[in-house]
């Protein structure tokens, strides 16, 4: 009989902890939450003070059975789930479902998985914090109410299978609003003037920029012409000291942002890798908004910095968390052992670990000392405009020796040079070349996953444990995609003054291109507009942030969890009833573009079951309306009448090929070619509106060859029986069911009777019981 049973969330965590405890301890995993609200229905008794109806989660029955057996055999059960609200809720559900009491169970928490931390936690157990449990419970019930009451309205008013979430809907709103800002943005052209000056040594060139920008080509041209007769000299040299301070150690959101910028990880990828590092005992708990570092860690960092770089690189700092929230761990994300600069792990884990190590150590290092210099160059015939040359020199690298923080600025200042050559006041300079480049004012940038996390944090929406799930959910639901925008080609003018000769060149560049940015889909835009129109208060940024603050108050014991729910429900539910009973004259999200010039019928675009589409005519017409799917890159928000009418150019007859007609069309599953009553899909590299007869013939020929090689053998005894070549090798196809061909047989040599025997043998085998795979690091 085992004296002690320790229960954690994941097998990986259990394996690490087991190393630190003796034979008297058995460590098992709950595989995340073991209990949740029933999947069907609201599962919350609103009239009975929001009493939740919990059941053991699907696929967890065997886990619970094993834990109950182990708990009965143990003298003491240690509930060691994570120390945030989710972890506290897991501990409480275990306590309840396993039938534990305060005499035979204890709650322990730790923010790093090291021997000292585990043993110290066992020495200092505590009771389950019901305030944290109730804060988690309040959040879970609010989210269930929102999803349960809003989703059916979206199904009826827009289309089936849509769903809405409290925080997710606000995140979608941010992305939709940014997209509209971009679409409404009107770029203004301006001319930026730069010059190359030759110093008195007649060897050294220095780059400079004019302190004014011109709105028109004529203005820029006139200025460059004025330089032909001007002389240039150094009017002022301003040198001033500066410094840069290190960023604080990582919180959840800053780790997600920096990992995206420096390593290219998605938010969910960062959290998955961080979870593995934590469970392996390599870093502290990864869901936190604390900036605090323990005294032990600061002392370890001090030793590391002094031995590696010298005492002049050391500056002890204590950072304080600005955001309030009782649910999070009490220390920043850091390595468990500062002395371990590298760890044995996968390449991705090593990259993230090194990032965390560098950020932690750098936070305790001295400021970088800089010298910033600005040289002002006078134009003899122009008293108002000056050329400016900026330089920045690092006099002492300090924390930059280890780490430099990145940012999201897409328009870095190119006018700062690192080291300026020696110059003296009144030095005469010769103009080597001056250029005026036509530029455009920059539109607002689309959100990346990292910048969206930062925005949510700024607004006080969500908490460290919710950022990654929120961003994953809005993409999984099809409201947002992480994609690329090709941008548009545009011509711009460059004016060049060289050897007192002014020339003008027209060049081409691509503007507005984006990569791996969050872009709203038509579904996301329509759902967002519907929710904002009908539930404006619920989707207010302040409302969502204030609700988070109320959850914090519940966690602090300052507010009853049921009071939070009553306050929310009394506002939310009446709006749901009002919107649900309201009738609309047209489909939500429908946009009328005008009339078809041929028929005079209305042309509209809307969202359907299979995506956005255009329609000519209406349901009231005697003739059935015509439908055409929007193509990739088109949106119901921006498509024009002409573009919509162009979609009805299909089906399109291309001509005859080998005596039969080829037709290009678009169907439910995308564009295709119809030839000889057979169908060939059109790849993405071709456009059904412009594909030629020759290209179509080639595609049909290629498909014929593939199909010919697909059939290994057919049988005259039964036309529905075939042996085919598949993606994973040869297989038998019969009555829409596939059967494996045993590896020791040659498919082409099988007889009809042998194939029938294989099918019968496979049919007589008992079906394998499906088991649900559960992830050790998942939390609902």
């Amino acid at each position: 009989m085992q004296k002690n049973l320790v229960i954690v969330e994941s097998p990986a965590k259990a394996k690490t902890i087991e190393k630190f405890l003796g034979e008297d301890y058995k460590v098992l995993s709950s595989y995340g939450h073991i209990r949740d609200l029933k999947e069907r229905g609201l599962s919350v008794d609103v009239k009975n003070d929001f009493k939740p109806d919990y059941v053991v989660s699907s696929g967890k029955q065997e886990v619970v059975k094993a834990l109950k057996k182990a708990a009965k055999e143990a003298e003491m059960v240690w509930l060691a789930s994570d120390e945030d609200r989710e972890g506290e809720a897991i501990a409480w559900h275990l306590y309840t479902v396993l039938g534990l009491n305060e005499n035979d169970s204890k709650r322990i928490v730790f923010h790093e998985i090291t021997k000292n931390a585990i043993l110290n936690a066992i020495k200092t157990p505590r009771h389950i914090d019901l305030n944290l449990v109730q804060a988690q419970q309040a959040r879970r019930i609010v989210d269930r109410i929102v999803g349960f009451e809003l989703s059916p309205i979206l199904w009826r008013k827009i289309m089936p299978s849509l769903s809405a979430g409290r925080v997710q809907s606000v995140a979608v709103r941010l992305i939709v609003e940014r997209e509209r800002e971009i679409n409404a943005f009107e770029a203004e052209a301006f001319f930026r003037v730069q010059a190359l000056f030759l110093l008195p040594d007649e060897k050294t060139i220095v780059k400079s920029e004019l302190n004014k920008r011109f709105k028109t080509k004529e203005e820029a041209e006139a200025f460059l012409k004025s330089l032909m007769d001007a002389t240039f000299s150094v009017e002022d040299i301003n040198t001033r000291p500066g410094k840069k301070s290190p960023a604080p150690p990582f919180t959840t959101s800053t780790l997600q942002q920096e990992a995206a910028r420096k390593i290219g990880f998605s938010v969910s990828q960062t959290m998955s890798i961080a979870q593995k590092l934590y469970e392996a005992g390599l870093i502290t708990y990864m869901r936190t908004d604390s900036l605090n570092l323990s005294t032990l860690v600061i002392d370890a960092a001090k030793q590391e910095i002094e031995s590696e770089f010298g005492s002049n690189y050391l500056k002890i700092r204590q950072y304080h968390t600005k955001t309030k929230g009782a649910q999070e761990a009490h220390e920043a994300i850091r390595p468990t052992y500062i002395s371990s600069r590298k760890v044995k792990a996968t390449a991705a884990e090593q990259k993230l670990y090194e990032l965390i190590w560098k950020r932690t150590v750098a936070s305790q290092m001295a400021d970088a000392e800089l010298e910033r210099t600005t040289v002002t160059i006078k134009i003899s015939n122009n008293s108002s405009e000056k050329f400016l040359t900026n330089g920045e020199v690092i006099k002492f690298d300090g924390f930059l020796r280890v780490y430099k923080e990145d940012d999201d600025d897409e328009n870095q200042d190119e006018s700062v040079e690192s080291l300026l050559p020696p110059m003296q006041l009144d030095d005469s300079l010769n103009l080597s070349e001056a250029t005026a480049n036509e530029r455009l004012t920059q539109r607002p940038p689309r959100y990346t996953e990292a910048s969206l996390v930062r925005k949510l944090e700024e607004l006080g929406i969500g908490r460290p444990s919710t950022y990654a799930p929120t961003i994953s959910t809005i993409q999984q639901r099809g409201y947002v995609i992480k994609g690329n925008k090709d941008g548009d080609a545009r011509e711009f003018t460059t004016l060049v003054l060289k050897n007192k000769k002014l020339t003008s060149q027209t060049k081409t560049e691509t503007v507005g291109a984006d990569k791996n940015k969050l872009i709203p889909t038509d579904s996301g835009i329509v759902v967002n507009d519907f929710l904002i129109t009908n539930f404006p208060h619920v989707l207010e940024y302040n409302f969502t942030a204030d609700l988070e603050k109320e959850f914090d108050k519940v966690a602090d014991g300052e507010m009853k969890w049921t009071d939070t729910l009553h306050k929310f429900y009394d506002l939310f539910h009446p709006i749901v009833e009002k919107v649900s009973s309201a009738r609309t004259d047209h489909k939500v999200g429908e946009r009328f573009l005008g009339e078809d010039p041929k028929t005079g019928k209305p042309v509209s675009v809307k969202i359907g079951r299979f995506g956005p589409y255009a329609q000519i005519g209406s349901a009231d017409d005697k003739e059935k309306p015509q439908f055409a799917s929007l193509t990739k890159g088109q949106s119901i928000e921006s498509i024009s009448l002409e573009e919509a009418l162009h979609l009805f150019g299909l089906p399109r007859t291309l001509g005859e090929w080998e005596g039969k007609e080829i037709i290009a069309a678009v169907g439910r599953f995308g564009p295709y070619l119809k030839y000889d009553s057979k169908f060939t899909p059109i790849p993405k590299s071709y456009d059904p509106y412009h594909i030629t007869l020759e290209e179509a013939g080639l595609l049909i020929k290629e498909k014929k060859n593939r199909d010919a090689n697909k059939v290994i053998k057919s049988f005259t005894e039964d036309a529905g029986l075939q042996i085919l070549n598949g993606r994973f090798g040869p297989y038998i196809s019969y009555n829409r069911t596939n059967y494996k061909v045993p590896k020791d047989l040659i498919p082409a040599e099988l007889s009809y009777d042998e194939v029938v025997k294989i099918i019968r043998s496979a049919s007589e085998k008992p079906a394998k019981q499906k088991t649900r795979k559960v992830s050790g690091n998942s939390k609902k």
Side-chain angles (χ1 to χ4, degrees):
M1 179 177 173
Q2 214 85 33
K3 285 186 179 180
N4 297 281
L5 171 65
V6 180
I7 303 177
V8 296
E9 290 104 325
S10 75
K13 190 174 173 183
K15 192 176 177 182
T16 306
I17 291 174
E18 212 157 28
K19 296 174 188 174
F20 306 136
L21 300 173
E23 293 180 357
D24 288 341
Y25 290 84
K26 182 177 183 179
V27 186
L28 292 179
S29 168
S30 69
Y31 294 86
H33 279 279
I34 60 161
R35 200 167 70 146
D36 196 7
L37 297 172
K38 274 185 182 177
E39 289 186 8
R40 292 187 178 276
L42 180 59
S43 302
V44 176
D45 189 348
V46 175
K47 293 179 180 177
N48 191 13
D49 228 9
F50 297 94
K51 184 181 178 182
D53 185 6
Y54 289 118
V55 293
V56 173
S57 302
S58 176
K60 290 295 181 72
Q61 286 81 2
E62 290 301 314
V63 172
V64 170
K65 187 177 177 182
L67 291 175
K68 278 185 176 179
K69 183 174 181 293
K72 281 182 181 178
E73 294 172 353
E75 293 178 11
M76 179 61 65
V77 177
W78 304 83
L79 301 171
S81 48
D82 292 337
E83 60 174 330
D84 59 6
R85 295 176 197 172
E86 290 293 322
E88 207 70 21
I90 288 171
W92 178 72
H93 284 297
L94 285 166
Y95 180 89
T96 307
V97 173
L98 302 184
L100 303 175
N101 59 59
E102 290 188 2
N103 296 322
D104 61 11
S105 67
K106 291 179 181 177
R107 172 79 170 116
I108 56 172
V109 293
F110 38 84
H111 57 263
E112 63 182 25
I113 304 176
T114 60
K115 188 171 184 178
N116 286 341
I118 303 302
L119 295 178
N120 186 57
I122 287 173
K123 285 179 188 174
T124 55
R126 63 169 174 81
H127 296 300
I128 290 173
D129 188 334
L130 288 177
N131 290 331
L132 293 182
V133 174
Q134 288 165 356
Q136 186 274 344
Q137 191 166 247
R139 176 195 287 276
R140 182 75 186 94
I141 290 172
V142 164
D143 288 345
R144 172 57 69 91
I145 290 170
V146 171
F148 181 78
E149 298 209 339
L150 276 189
S151 297
I153 295 177
L154 298 180
W155 302 342
R156 291 196 304 273
K157 304 284 184 179
I158 303 176
M159 69 176 188
S161 302
L162 293 176
S163 58
R166 182 178 57 88
V167 177
Q168 294 94 324
S169 297
V170 175
V172 172
R173 178 182 177 180
L174 281 168
I175 295 164
V176 170
E177 287 182 348
R178 177 56 56 86
E179 194 69 20
R180 284 183 171 150
E181 283 179 48
I182 292 168
N183 292 337
F185 182 79
E186 292 183 8
E188 292 181 7
F190 64 90
F191 282 81
R192 180 183 183 185
V193 179
Q194 293 176 308
L196 299 176
F197 291 101
L198 188 65
L199 299 191
D201 64 3
E202 296 188 349
K203 293 179 183 177
T204 310
I205 293 283
V206 67
K207 187 177 179 181
S208 195
E209 182 168 337
L210 192 70
N211 63 353
K212 178 181 178 179
R213 294 180 177 182
F214 299 104
K215 290 184 178 180
T216 65
K217 178 183 175 182
E218 290 72 26
E219 288 178 355
E221 213 167 41
F223 174 77
L224 290 181
K225 284 179 180 177
S226 74
L227 299 182
M228 292 180 182
D229 302 319
T231 59
F232 308 90
S233 60
V234 176
E235 183 179 71
D236 183 50
I237 300 174
N238 181 10
T239 301
R240 61 200 183 282
K243 70 173 186 176
K244 284 184 181 177
S245 299
F250 282 128
T251 62
T252 301
S253 67
T254 54
L255 176 63
Q256 290 168 349
Q257 292 167 50
E258 195 72 343
R261 290 187 288 247
K262 282 189 179 292
I263 316 174
F265 287 169
S266 68
V267 167
S268 58
Q269 189 180 6
T270 296
M271 293 311 292
S272 174
I273 295 168
Q275 177 107 20
K276 289 173 185 172
L277 291 172
Y278 167 66
E279 290 173 348
L282 299 174
I283 64 169
T284 52
Y285 191 54
M286 64 286 154
R287 281 185 276 272
T288 176
D289 55 10
S290 173
L291 298 173
N292 184 46
L293 291 176
S294 68
T295 306
L296 285 173
V297 172
I298 290 174
D299 288 342
K302 177 184 176 183
Q303 291 176 24
E304 185 72 19
I305 293 163
E306 287 181 331
S307 63
E308 187 74 21
F309 309 110
S311 58
N312 59 325
Y313 277 87
L314 177 69
K315 184 177 180 180
I316 299 299
R317 304 167 193 266
Q318 271 290 11
Y319 298 91
H320 299 286
T321 308
K322 293 179 182 178
T323 54
K324 183 179 181 294
Q327 77 177 83
E328 313 311 338
H330 302 296
E331 200 167 357
I333 302 169
R334 60 162 177 83
T336 50
Y337 300 104
I338 297 292
S339 57
S340 301
R341 185 160 190 168
K342 297 199 174 197
V343 291
K344 289 182 180 178
T346 65
E349 289 166 3
Q350 179 66 47
K351 283 179 182 177
L352 193 64
Y353 178 84
E354 282 187 21
L355 190 67
I356 294 167
W357 187 93
K358 288 177 179 179
R359 177 87 163 218
T360 305
V361 171
S363 73
Q364 301 304 311
M365 293 179 72
D367 294 335
E369 295 173 11
L370 313 170
E371 186 178 85
R372 296 187 176 109
T373 302
T374 301
V375 177
T376 305
I377 299 171
K378 183 171 70 174
I379 307 167
S380 62
N381 59 2
N382 189 327
S383 59
S384 56
E385 273 84 51
K386 313 282 183 185
F387 279 103
L388 302 176
T389 299
N390 296 303
E392 185 176 276
V393 178
I394 296 173
K395 307 295 282 185
F396 172 65
D397 55 3
F399 76 94
L400 293 175
R401 182 87 172 262
V402 171
Y403 182 85
K404 183 183 178 184
E405 187 181 25
D406 286 356
D407 60 39
D408 290 317
D409 188 4
E410 296 180 359
N411 308 302
Q412 297 288 340
D413 187 4
E414 299 169 4
S415 64
V416 177
E417 296 193 9
S418 55
L419 182 64
L420 294 179
M423 286 184 273
Q424 303 295 324
L425 281 174
D426 300 323
D427 273 355
S428 291
L429 308 178
N430 288 321
L431 179 65
S432 175
E433 181 180 306
T435 59
N437 279 311
E438 185 183 12
R439 313 308 302 157
L440 291 176
T441 50
Q442 295 294 313
R443 60 166 175 72
R446 289 186 174 89
Y447 285 109
T448 61
E449 287 191 353
S451 61
L452 181 61
V453 166
R454 186 175 65 186
K455 187 65 177 178
L456 289 170
E457 188 179 37
E458 282 175 9
L459 293 170
I461 296 168
R463 288 294 180 263
S465 60
T466 64
Y467 298 137
T470 296
I471 290 171
S472 296
T473 299
I474 61 177
Q475 292 179 67
Q476 289 163 5
R477 288 178 176 171
Y479 294 155
V480 171
I481 58 167
K482 186 162 70 172
N484 305 331
K485 285 278 187 179
D486 294 334
D488 301 309
R490 74 137 195 150
E491 290 185 341
F492 68 98
T493 302
T494 297
L495 302 171
V496 180
L497 175 65
K498 193 168 186 177
N499 299 326
K500 295 196 175 184
K501 184 180 178 183
L502 184 63
T503 57
S504 176
Q505 300 171 9
T506 301
K507 299 179 180 178
T508 305
E509 66 177 352
T510 301
V511 294
D514 267 328
K515 190 175 181 182
N516 286 333
K517 296 295 179 69
L518 297 175
I519 303 165
T521 62
D522 280 324
S523 298
I525 292 170
V526 170
V527 169
N528 173 75
D529 290 352
F530 176 78
L531 293 177
I532 284 179
T533 301
N534 295 283
F535 299 88
H537 194 62
V538 178
L539 259 74
E540 275 292 327
Y541 299 133
N542 288 341
F543 176 81
T544 309
D546 289 344
L547 197 54
E548 294 290 351
K549 289 175 186 174
E550 290 193 7
F551 294 150
D552 291 342
K553 286 182 180 179
V554 173
D556 288 336
E558 297 172 5
M559 189 172 185
K560 283 180 67 178
W561 70 281
T562 49
D563 288 348
T564 299
L565 292 174
H566 279 292
K567 184 178 174 183
F568 170 79
Y569 192 77
D570 291 347
L571 168 74
F572 178 69
H573 186 67
I575 303 173
V576 170
E577 290 187 322
K578 181 182 176 183
V579 174
S580 185
S581 60
R583 293 192 175 187
T584 53
D585 295 331
H586 58 84
K587 191 178 174 83
V588 172
E590 185 173 12
R591 178 170 162 247
F592 292 95
L593 305 179
E595 290 185 352
D596 175 18
K598 293 180 182 176
T599 63
K601 292 181 178 181
V603 180
S604 59
V605 284
K606 59 189 81 175
I607 288 286
R609 190 174 177 184
F610 302 109
Y613 66 93
Q615 176 179 317
I616 297 177
S618 64
D620 301 331
D621 293 343
K622 291 181 181 179
E623 294 178 358
K624 186 180 176 183
Q626 292 177 265
F627 306 101
S629 297
L630 269 62
T631 60
K632 186 180 177 182
Q634 290 182 326
S635 167
I636 60 173
E637 189 159 75
S638 57
I639 191 172
S640 66
L641 174 63
E642 291 72 26
E643 288 168 336
L645 290 171
H646 181 63
L647 296 172
F648 294 91
L650 297 177
R652 170 174 156 249
T653 302
L654 305 184
E656 284 196 0
W657 184 74
E658 294 186 355
K660 292 180 180 176
E661 196 174 62
I662 299 178
I663 295 171
V666 173
R668 178 178 165 186
F669 302 107
Y672 65 89
L673 299 168
K674 185 179 179 183
Y675 173 77
D676 194 18
S677 300
K678 293 178 182 176
F679 303 93
T680 300
I682 298 175
K684 289 181 180 178
S685 52
Y686 293 97
D687 176 0
Y689 295 96
H690 301 102
I691 190 169
T692 65
L693 181 64
E694 292 74 20
E695 290 168 338
L698 188 61
L699 291 175
I700 292 166
K701 191 175 180 180
E702 287 173 355
K703 186 174 186 294
K704 275 186 176 181
N705 292 336
R706 286 197 304 272
D707 291 345
N709 294 326
K710 184 177 180 181
V711 180
I712 297 173
K713 193 170 185 177
S714 299
F715 299 91
T716 54
E717 295 91 335
D718 191 334
L721 181 62
Q722 288 181 311
I723 303 177
L724 304 174
N725 255 323
R727 186 176 166 191
F728 304 107
Y731 65 96
I732 298 164
S733 174
Y734 184 62
N735 283 346
R736 295 188 178 181
T737 306
N738 299 333
Y739 304 89
K740 283 184 180 179
V741 176
K743 290 181 180 179
D744 56 337
L745 300 177
I746 301 171
E749 295 179 3
L750 291 174
S751 67
Y752 174 75
D753 292 335
E754 287 172 324
V755 172
V756 171
K757 189 177 178 182
I758 291 169
I759 293 172
R760 282 178 180 166
S761 176
S763 302
E764 288 167 4
K765 286 182 182 178
K768 287 185 180 179
Q769 188 178 358
K770 289 184 179 179
T771 56
R772 182 175 173 181
K773 187 177 179 182
V774 288
S775 168
N777 59 9
S778 67
K779 281 188 179 182
K780 281 195 178 181

